[in-house]
């Protein structure tokens, strides 16, 4: 679990150890700060059959197995049916019914409402009845980034558990440890208001878009639609992961495919680069992989990066056959 969740976790462990666990906890904190991770950990601590030191879930018992698979019958999730929409009264009624029955495993029943501030008025009123007459061994976890949107009657019946936003330095360090480049980490942390998980999601989305773009550029250069010199220029900006790393992993996946293995795990790679596997042979792919490795090894050696990228991209375009290489400018 993330270090910045230690404080609310310890608060929970203490009240549990003292037998003072409330029936409902309102877990509040900024979007992307880890409220769900904390809620899942609290649920696991109550449902695990053999919690270890400090009440942590063991991760090995049957209950922990069910939790990891997302199939534990005593952990109930209530989320909007469509993202961004409200949690409706029917969903809360169904929850109330489930909570009124005995637990499957003979332990706690835990419900996570995420985000609780997405309940509409009717849903909130329906939940209020359960909060006023809670069943034994039941814990409701209400997750809210904007708890002020919840009716005061609901808030007053919940004990509050705050997930504070970590300080910038620890959040930044955590993002770096997650493999995010330093400039991206700083930029997205700013955009995410300091919430590390939201910053990581943003960085991953950008990486995904960039990866798709790189793949399409490689396809375009191979098909003669794009000019390798122009693409090399666009690759000069060192944004996100090293493009050569991606490229090499794709070429190696194509090689394995040609040598009689499975198509690449990433389906779009197989689709977009299929033309290449049909046109070139193993020897050419081996050479390509070596060229990319050489370029990778030369990175940072002071060699002109644009020239280097141009060279590799031009060899890539030449794979398509001698007929087309004449049209390539240099
Ligand atoms: Zn366990």
């Amino acid at each position: 679990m993330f270090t910045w969740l230690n404080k609310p976790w310890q608060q929970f462990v203490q009240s549990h150890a003292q037998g003072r666990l409330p029936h409902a906890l309102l877990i509040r904190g900024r979007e992307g700060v880890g409220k769900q991770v904390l809620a899942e950990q609290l649920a696991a601590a109550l449902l695990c059959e053999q919690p270890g030191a400090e009440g942590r879930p063991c991760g090995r018992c049957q209950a922990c197995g069910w939790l990891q698979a997302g199939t534990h019958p005593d952990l109930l999730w209530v989320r909007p049916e469509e993202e961004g929409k409200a949690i409706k009264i029917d969903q809360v009624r169904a929850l109330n019914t489930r909570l009124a029955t005995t637990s499957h495993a003979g332990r706690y029943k835990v419900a996570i409402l995420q985000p609780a501030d997405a309940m509409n008025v009717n849903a909130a009123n329906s939940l209020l009845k359960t909060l006023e007459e809670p069943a034994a061994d039941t814990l409701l976890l209400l997750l809210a980034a904007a708890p002020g949107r919840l009716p005061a009657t609901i808030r007053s019946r919940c004990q509050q558990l705050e997930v504070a936003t970590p300080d910038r330095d620890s959040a930044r360090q955590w993002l770096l440890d997650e493999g995010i480049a330093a400039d991206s980490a700083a930029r997205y942390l700013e955009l995410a208001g300091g919430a590390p998980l939201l910053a990581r999601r943003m960085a991953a989305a950008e990486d995904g878009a960039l990866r798709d773009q790189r793949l399409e550029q490689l396809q375009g250069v191979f098909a003669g639609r794009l000019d390798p010199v122009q693409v090399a220029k666009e690759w000069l900006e060192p944004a996100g992961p090293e493009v050569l790393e991606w490229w090499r992993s794709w070429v190696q996946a194509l090689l394995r495919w040609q040598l009689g293995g499975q198509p690449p795990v990433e389906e779009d790679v197989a689709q977009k680069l299929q033309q290449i596997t049909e046109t070139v042979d193993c020897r050419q792919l081996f050479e390509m992989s070596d060229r990319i490795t050489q370029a990778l090894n030369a990175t940072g050696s002071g060699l002109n990066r644009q020239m280097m990228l141009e060279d590799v991209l031009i060899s890539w375009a030449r794979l398509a056959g001698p007929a087309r290489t004449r049209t390539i400018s240099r």
Side-chain angles (χ1 to χ4, degrees):
M1 206 173 48
F2 313 128
T3 50
W4 65 89
L5 297 178
N6 275 339
K7 194 177 161 197
W9 163 254
Q10 290 301 338
Q11 288 171 321
F12 167 85
V13 168
Q14 261 186 16
S15 43
H16 186 29
Q18 296 165 353
R20 292 163 46 155
L21 215 53
H23 291 291
L25 276 171
L26 172 57
I27 301 181
R28 49 191 296 171
R30 193 182 272 282
E31 173 72 35
V33 82
K35 297 186 293 300
Q36 183 184 325
V37 175
L38 179 69
E40 286 174 344
Q41 176 86 355
L42 304 190
L46 292 180
L47 298 172
C48 172
E49 291 156 18
Q50 294 169 319
E54 291 193 351
R56 289 188 190 277
C58 73
R60 291 181 305 272
C61 69
Q62 190 176 41
C64 284
W66 286 343
L67 285 168
Q68 281 151 19
T71 55
H72 199 300
D74 295 324
L75 176 61
L76 315 168
W77 285 91
V78 183
R79 292 179 166 123
E81 282 160 2
E82 277 176 75
E83 205 179 314
K85 296 282 168 60
I87 291 176
K88 296 178 196 149
I89 184 167
D90 291 346
Q91 295 176 266
V92 174
R93 278 189 184 140
L95 173 71
N96 291 344
T97 308
R98 294 278 303 273
L99 289 177
T101 61
T102 50
S103 77
H104 287 258
R107 308 179 76 86
Y108 258 85
K109 276 169 292 174
V110 183
I112 303 180
L113 286 90
Q114 188 205 34
D117 42 4
M119 276 189 294
N120 64 25
V121 180
N122 292 337
N125 282 335
S126 178
L127 186 72
L128 202 52
K129 291 190 194 110
T130 295
L131 288 175
E132 283 165 346
E133 298 161 23
D137 293 339
T138 296
L139 180 65
L140 284 162
L141 299 171
L142 284 71
L143 277 46
R149 291 218 303 253
L150 284 166
T153 45
I154 297 260
R155 265 180 290 149
S156 66
R157 282 173 177 81
C158 298
Q159 190 173 309
Q160 306 216 359
L161 196 57
E162 169 94 26
V163 181
T165 308
D167 65 80
R168 282 300 156 107
D169 281 346
S170 4
R172 209 181 128 270
Q173 188 55 51
W174 181 78
L175 287 167
L176 296 180
D177 293 344
E178 289 286 298
I180 291 163
D183 56 339
S184 299
R187 187 155 38 98
Y188 287 116
L189 207 52
E190 190 65 41
L191 285 172
L197 300 186
L198 180 58
R200 185 179 61 178
R201 275 207 296 278
M202 289 169 145
E206 189 200 61
D207 280 359
L210 193 66
R211 173 194 168 284
D212 294 350
Q213 194 192 0
R214 299 298 187 233
L215 191 54
E216 266 159 33
Q217 284 168 324
L218 281 174
Q219 188 191 21
V221 168
F222 183 83
R225 278 185 285 108
L226 295 177
D227 175 10
V229 175
Q230 183 56 38
V231 171
K233 205 178 280 174
E234 286 170 30
W235 283 5
L236 271 184
E237 284 298 313
E242 170 60 75
V243 57
L244 292 169
E245 296 273 11
W246 270 330
W247 192 2
R248 183 170 60 176
S249 74
W250 292 330
V251 169
Q252 288 173 351
L254 292 183
L255 246 176
R256 286 193 297 272
W257 193 10
Q258 269 211 351
L259 291 168
Q262 295 290 317
V265 185
E266 302 164 292
E267 243 173 66
D268 57 334
V269 173
Q271 270 170 19
K272 293 214 169 81
L273 303 184
Q274 186 174 25
Q275 188 197 355
I276 296 161
T277 45
E278 285 167 358
T279 319
V280 305
D281 58 32
C282 291
R283 186 187 49 81
Q284 290 171 300
L285 284 176
F286 270 120
E287 278 176 15
M288 207 54 232
S289 168
D290 286 347
R291 269 177 193 277
I292 300 171
T293 303
Q294 281 162 16
L296 264 170
N297 293 342
T299 304
S301 67
L303 278 177
N304 182 319
R305 182 167 165 85
Q306 169 144 13
M307 294 270 284
M308 190 179 77
L309 289 173
E310 280 176 17
D311 275 347
V312 196
L313 280 163
I314 288 170
S315 337
W316 178 252
R318 285 199 177 122
L319 288 181
R324 252 203 43 239
T325 51
R326 284 192 295 274
T327 65
I328 291 163
S329 61
R330 173 65 206 259

